[in-house]
Amino acid sequence: MQLVEDGRLSLDAKLSNWIDGVPNGDLITVRMLLNHTSGLYSANEDRDVAKNEPAALSLKDSVSILKKHGPLFCPGQYWRYSNTGYLFLGKIAEQVYGQPLSQIIQNKIIDKIGLKNSYMVNVDDNISDIAEPRPSGDQKSDIRTPGAAGPMAATSSDMVLFWRAFLNGDLVSPDTRSVMFSTLYPMFDKNMFYGLGVMAMRAPGPKGEPAIWIGHAGGMPGIKAFVMIDPASLQYAAVALTGDGPASAVAYNMLREWQKASAPQPER
């Protein structure tokens, strides 16, 4: 969205302008990649990929897998999360800036807002300082493999600092932020919705009244993260867990308990 603000990229630009050979690439726009309405299969879900040891998919491999599975639906018709769509967004950013994605994130986000405990994880990185995923059963995970679909390692406090900077207009303008939330698509859960790289959730307020919380979830087998914000009270909850426990439920309960604690108590 910083590229859009700078006039260097249009939300309506076609994927085929940047990456060749993608099914429906001449119909899929940057906007559709951001909000997951492109109809692209998520290449990491391919059975042959899933049964092997975790590895980063190259652009060529990802496009080949998409051709094998074909489009899931016409671009813009439905919503379905696609990690591959975000891999393409990362490649587009690299082409526009002429830099690797790790350097773009460092310059445009980490250094810009002064994050001290965040970095993009690359395929060849030593990750001994990061909590190891603990997937259940025969599932496998390697946090170095998602690429642009989920490349960040960060502490919970830095997760909050990032979202605070985003909401304060330190990363994109308030007008751009409004565009990101202006059109929301129903997700897996009837109370969760997706915009342009952001999520919104229906939740009961402190007194049971309807409320909308915002944030984002992420994860892979054995590791989960979730940031949840109540825009009305400006209370934040950020949770990162190993294992297959629901980080979203922990964040939700934390936020609810803080709201109860800070709510005015009736006079006796």
Side-chain angles (χ1 to χ4, degrees):
M1 295 305 292
Q2 290 176 337
L3 284 171
V4 173
E5 277 195 339
D6 293 342
R8 302 178 69 180
L9 183 67
S10 169
L11 287 174
D12 297 317
K14 299 297 193 292
L15 175 59
S16 57
N17 293 346
W18 305 97
I19 298 172
D20 295 327
V22 179
N24 284 337
D26 57 339
L27 301 176
I28 295 168
T29 64
V30 169
R31 188 190 310 272
M32 293 172 187
L33 295 175
L34 280 166
N35 64 22
H36 294 292
T37 61
S38 66
L40 292 176
Y41 184 79
S42 196
N44 60 295
E45 297 177 7
D46 181 81
R47 287 185 179 182
D48 291 333
V49 172
K51 72 182 181 182
N52 295 325
E53 289 296 318
L57 287 170
S58 68
L59 179 62
K60 181 180 178 180
D61 288 341
S62 296
V63 172
S64 295
I65 292 170
L66 295 188
K67 288 180 177 178
K68 180 175 75 171
H69 289 273
L72 298 177
F73 49 82
C74 293
Q77 186 177 15
Y78 299 111
W79 184 93
R80 188 182 189 276
Y81 205 96
S82 173
N83 284 313
T84 304
Y86 270 63
L87 171 68
F88 292 158
L89 287 169
K91 296 300 182 183
I92 291 171
E94 289 182 333
Q95 290 186 53
V96 175
Y97 282 117
Q99 297 175 330
L101 185 61
S102 57
Q103 190 61 52
I104 298 169
I105 290 174
Q106 188 71 39
N107 295 340
K108 295 294 184 178
I109 298 176
I110 294 174
D111 292 344
K112 185 178 180 69
I113 59 177
L115 300 179
K116 303 299 183 184
N117 298 291
S118 301
Y119 65 93
M120 177 176 166
V121 181
N122 291 298
V123 174
D124 297 325
D125 282 353
N126 181 337
I127 54 173
S128 59
D129 61 336
I130 301 175
E132 190 174 318
R134 297 180 180 275
S136 59
D138 59 355
Q139 294 179 306
K140 303 171 185 178
S141 284
D142 187 333
I143 61 174
R144 294 170 292 191
T145 61
M152 299 303 298
T155 60
S156 294
S157 57
D158 263 17
M159 290 159 62
V160 169
L161 289 174
F162 168 83
W163 272 89
R164 184 176 293 165
F166 169 68
L167 294 176
N168 286 344
D170 297 329
L171 290 170
V172 295
S173 70
D175 287 344
T176 296
R177 186 183 66 228
S178 296
V179 169
M180 294 171 73
F181 283 101
S182 62
T183 303
L184 298 171
Y185 293 86
M187 295 178 63
F188 319 105
D189 186 299
K190 65 180 181 180
N191 291 316
M192 299 186 75
F193 305 87
Y194 208 91
L196 298 178
V198 291
M199 291 171 58
M201 296 139 273
R202 285 198 192 104
K207 299 179 181 179
E209 73 280 8
I212 296 293
W213 293 351
I214 60 177
H216 206 286
M220 58 188 354
I223 192 164
K224 302 289 187 295
F226 200 95
V227 180
M228 188 176 285
I229 304 119
D230 175 11
S233 65
L234 293 180
Q235 290 176 309
Y236 296 70
V239 175
L241 299 175
T242 56
D244 288 322
S248 56
V250 176
Y252 172 83
N253 288 323
M254 287 171 60
L255 201 53
R256 285 302 309 274
E257 290 303 314
W258 289 336
Q259 289 184 334
K260 290 177 183 178
S262 60
Q265 300 299 311
E267 296 182 4
R268 296 186 179 182

